[in-house]
Structure formats: C-alpha cells, structure tokens
Amino acid sequence: FYDKNISDEEIDHIKNEAMKILNKFYNSVSYKEIAEAEILGRELPFVIKENEQIISGIIDIIYKIGGKVIVGDYKTDKTIL
C-alpha cells in the first residue's frame, strides 16, 4: 500500500534507499551475529515499574549467543546485556 500520488521517480528513490539500508544491515556484524544466534523472541511487549513510573514498549529481538542473552533494538543499534 502506498500513496498513489507518489511519482515513479520517488518510488524508485524509496526503493533504492531501502536497499541501501538492507544491504548495510546484511553486511553488518550485528546481522552475522543474529544469523548464528538462537532467537529467543521478537517484538515482545514489556511493562516495568521504575521509581513509581510505568514504562512500556516493544523489545525488537532477544537472542542467545556464546552463553550471553542479548536484547537488541534495531532502531538505535544499541544492545543491553
């Protein structure tokens, strides 16, 4: 589904940018690590209470490799051990 008012040139530009992002990810250390890991979960909702505040969100991926459990967030490229 896409906006029918988008020109063919804009669609091509979007496709090219998406391919650049995917290729960068496929060639990354993170992708190679995830490809070899045991996936424990994807898109997992969470709710925690910290300092009387409720925090909720979605965990993009949790995986296990080399005896470590990794929580990954695709948007920030950060992991929490």
Side-chain angles (χ1 to χ4, degrees):
F1 173 76
Y2 63 93
D3 183 345
K4 300 209 189 287
N5 294 320
I6 296 176
S7 70
D8 289 342
E9 292 81 18
E10 290 171 309
I11 291 171
D12 287 341
H13 176 73
I14 292 166
K15 286 180 184 178
N16 289 334
E17 290 302 308
M19 288 306 298
K20 285 180 192 176
I21 292 167
L22 287 172
N23 284 329
K24 184 177 178 181
F25 178 64
Y26 290 146
N27 291 308
S28 71
V29 172
S30 296
Y31 176 78
K32 290 174 179 72
E33 182 174 282
I34 291 169
E36 296 175 4
E38 175 188 355
I39 306 301
L40 303 175
R42 295 180 192 267
E43 298 296 321
L44 298 169
F46 70 91
V47 177
I48 59 173
K49 184 177 181 181
E50 186 171 313
N51 299 326
E52 302 302 317
Q53 228 177 6
I54 303 293
I55 302 169
S56 66
I58 303 290
I59 297 170
D60 290 327
I61 189 168
I62 299 176
Y63 61 95
K64 185 175 182 180
I65 191 163
K68 293 181 182 178
V69 174
I70 308 293
V71 176
D73 183 338
Y74 298 134
K75 292 167 278 310
T76 63
D77 294 334
K78 294 181 182 178
T79 58
I80 302 170
L81 303 179

